[in-house]
Amino acid sequence: MSVLVTGGAGYIGSHTCVELINAGVDVVIVDNFCNCKKSSINRIRALVNKDFTYYECDIRDKKGLDSIFKKEKIDSVIHFAGLKAVDESVYKPLEYFDNNVNGTLVLLDVMRNNGCKKIVFSSSATVYGMNNISPLTEDMQVGGVTNPYGRTKFMIECILQDLYVSDNSWSICLLRYFNPIGAHKSGTMGEDPNGIPNNLMPYITQVAIGKREYLNVWGDDYDTPDGTGVRDYIHVVDLALGHVKAVQKIEAGSGLYIYNLGTGKGYSVLDVVKAFEKASGVKIPYKIGPRRAGDIATCYSDPGKAYRELGWKAERDIEEMCEDSWRWQSQNPNGYPD
Ligand code: NAD
Ligand code: UFG
């Protein structure tokens, strides 16, 4: 089986490529390297015993993408490529709609023209919006999103569902990720954000190595056990393994499938700080700040459907997530080499 992985050099994509190759799948990576370093490709190579091909190509480059499909024998696609910074999307909505939505339209058109009708899409728990009560299940209403990034995910879900209605020989899997953290056990692959991290774990690890003075905790007056936001953190390797199962599912027959990929457990910001301090032995100073716009109090999954239908569940706990994040950050204080 040969899988084209868009955004395969990024954080979740690189971990997924390792697990796909370990599972005997042939991988072809397409990435324009707008949010990752090329050295991540070498790190993937160093962890697997099999070579693979990568192309530097933007998914909006229809000709380039088409020639890749003509050259490689692609059975299915895992589509990670996209811009993902919530706050940036507020300032650059056109760039986000162009990259994420238009990019997906180009990809789907090229796939169809080349007879490839199987796709796994990286969606997000953000599509559940502000009003659903956790644990979130796949049948809840989606769409109450509050920012352009989230809207691109919701729009792409709609596009893929309409595509399936128009032609049910497609096999489409929408994976709604909760909060991926952690890193490969080796410490050689992990999350390497540009500039000041928006997300909690990379911010904590940068405080731990001394790059940032303290963590800002965005609000302690939520209706949660300690007042700080509660999220469903999932180890990136568990998430990667979920993709291996999802690809097997779409290979098995046509259909439209939607799954949460989360652990089903919620941890507050201060729970994560404590777990990280325990795993690393490093104290994380923090200051309580105001709430961050657009944040909700609590967001965690009901991961039961993925277990029932894919036989997948997350195995790695919050301690392991923190240990692995710390190993990556301490071994690579400046992230991937240029
Ligand atoms: P990432 O930025 O590390 O990876 C995305 C990759 O896509 C990068 O390597 C980037 O260079 C590439 N890319 C972006 N636009 C491209 C384009 N037009 N053509 C080709 N390549 C392009 O992000 P990630 O955390 O690995 O996320 C992967 C996917 O999962 C994204 O679609 C993201 O929105 C989604 N997601 C992530 C999270 C999270 O918290 N990390 C949560 C929910 C959903
Ligand atoms: N937080 C802080 N300080 C920080 C960063 C985060 O207190 O410096 C808090 C947030 O307020 C929130 C929690 O930590 O309570 C998690 O925040 P993240 O930014 O790490 O994650 P979010 O849940 O806000 O968003 C993530 C992804 C989105 C995705 C969403 C739902 O960044 O892309 O999960 O899947 F849409």
Side-chain angles (χ1 to χ4, degrees):
M1 191 200 321
S2 180
V3 178
L4 183 132
V5 184
T6 75
Y11 173 46
I12 305 171
S14 57
H15 288 81
T16 300
C17 287
V18 167
E19 298 309 326
L20 285 167
I21 296 168
N22 285 343
V25 174
D26 291 323
V27 158
V28 176
I29 292 178
V30 171
D31 204 300
N32 66 358
F33 300 100
C34 70
N35 198 39
C36 66
K37 306 253 175 67
K38 280 192 186 154
S39 55
S40 73
I41 297 278
N42 302 332
R43 297 286 176 95
I44 301 172
R45 284 215 164 103
L47 287 174
V48 294
N49 287 321
K50 205 168 162 191
D51 202 15
F52 58 88
T53 312
Y54 82 88
Y55 293 90
E56 182 166 357
C57 177
D58 192 300
I59 55 164
R60 292 163 295 179
D61 172 2
K62 194 168 186 171
K63 267 194 180 158
L65 208 51
D66 187 67
S67 69
I68 295 169
F69 272 86
K70 297 260 172 338
K71 200 162 163 213
E72 306 285 342
K73 196 199 139 310
I74 305 296
D75 297 305
S76 52
V77 172
I78 303 182
H79 178 29
F80 293 106
L83 302 177
K84 62 162 185 176
V86 173
D87 55 344
E88 184 187 57
S89 77
V90 175
Y91 302 106
K92 296 184 174 174
L94 297 183
E95 283 77 2
Y96 272 69
F97 288 115
D98 181 40
N99 198 82
N100 295 7
V101 180
N102 184 31
T104 302
L105 289 172
V106 172
L107 171 68
L108 292 170
D109 193 34
V110 170
M111 287 175 67
R112 182 177 57 180
N113 294 342
N114 286 279
C116 176
K117 294 188 177 180
K118 296 179 203 138
I119 184 165
V120 175
F121 172 61
S122 296
S123 189
S124 165
T126 197
V127 300
Y128 289 111
M130 308 286 279
N131 299 323
N132 289 303
I133 309 285
S134 294
L136 300 165
T137 53
E138 291 85 347
D139 54 4
M140 285 176 170
Q141 196 177 356
V142 293
V145 281
T146 53
N147 57 74
Y149 163 73
R151 216 159 279 131
T152 68
K153 293 294 171 191
F154 174 61
M155 288 169 74
I156 296 166
E157 284 205 1
C158 294
I159 290 166
L160 288 166
Q161 298 195 33
D162 285 343
L163 178 61
Y164 181 72
V165 170
S166 76
D167 176 358
N168 62 17
S169 67
W170 278 82
S171 192
I172 296 171
C173 185
L174 312 180
L175 296 179
R176 294 180 182 155
Y177 311 157
F178 282 70
N179 290 57
I181 60 171
H184 192 268
K185 250 312 144 238
S186 61
T188 60
M189 294 198 333
E191 188 169 10
D192 182 15
N194 282 326
I196 302 171
N198 294 307
N199 298 118
L200 180 62
M201 184 53 84
Y203 204 102
I204 290 178
T205 60
Q206 291 200 4
V207 172
I209 52 159
K211 267 196 176 171
R212 322 244 160 235
E213 207 183 329
Y214 58 87
L215 170 72
N216 289 296
V217 176
W218 302 129
D220 70 347
D221 57 352
Y222 286 103
D223 184 15
T224 61
D226 64 17
T228 66
V230 167
R231 296 290 183 276
D232 183 342
Y233 297 94
I234 173 169
H235 196 296
V236 66
V237 172
D238 278 325
L239 195 69
L241 291 166
H243 289 75
V244 176
K245 295 285 190 181
V247 162
Q248 289 163 353
K249 181 80 180 177
I250 59 166
E251 280 293 331
S254 58
L256 174 75
Y257 311 100
I258 305 178
Y259 301 110
N260 288 337
L261 294 185
T263 65
K265 293 191 190 76
Y267 290 95
S268 74
V269 176
L270 296 182
D271 289 335
V272 177
V273 168
K274 271 184 225 134
F276 184 85
E277 288 181 338
K278 192 170 164 228
S280 65
V282 181
K283 187 100 193 115
I284 303 298
Y286 64 83
K287 288 186 186 168
I288 306 291
R291 290 182 178 195
R292 187 172 66 177
D295 272 0
I296 54 175
T298 301
C299 174
Y300 62 91
S301 66
D302 176 338
K305 188 174 177 216
Y307 184 59
R308 289 190 299 276
E309 296 188 14
L310 299 177
W312 172 90
K313 69 175 168 42
E315 307 279 357
R316 292 158 181 80
D317 62 16
I318 191 79
E319 281 74 27
E320 192 167 352
M321 297 179 213
C322 292
E323 278 166 19
D324 294 342
S325 289
W326 177 231
R327 189 178 303 104
W328 154 253
Q329 184 72 84
S330 49
Q331 289 181 14
N332 305 268
N334 297 313
Y336 287 102
D338 283 322

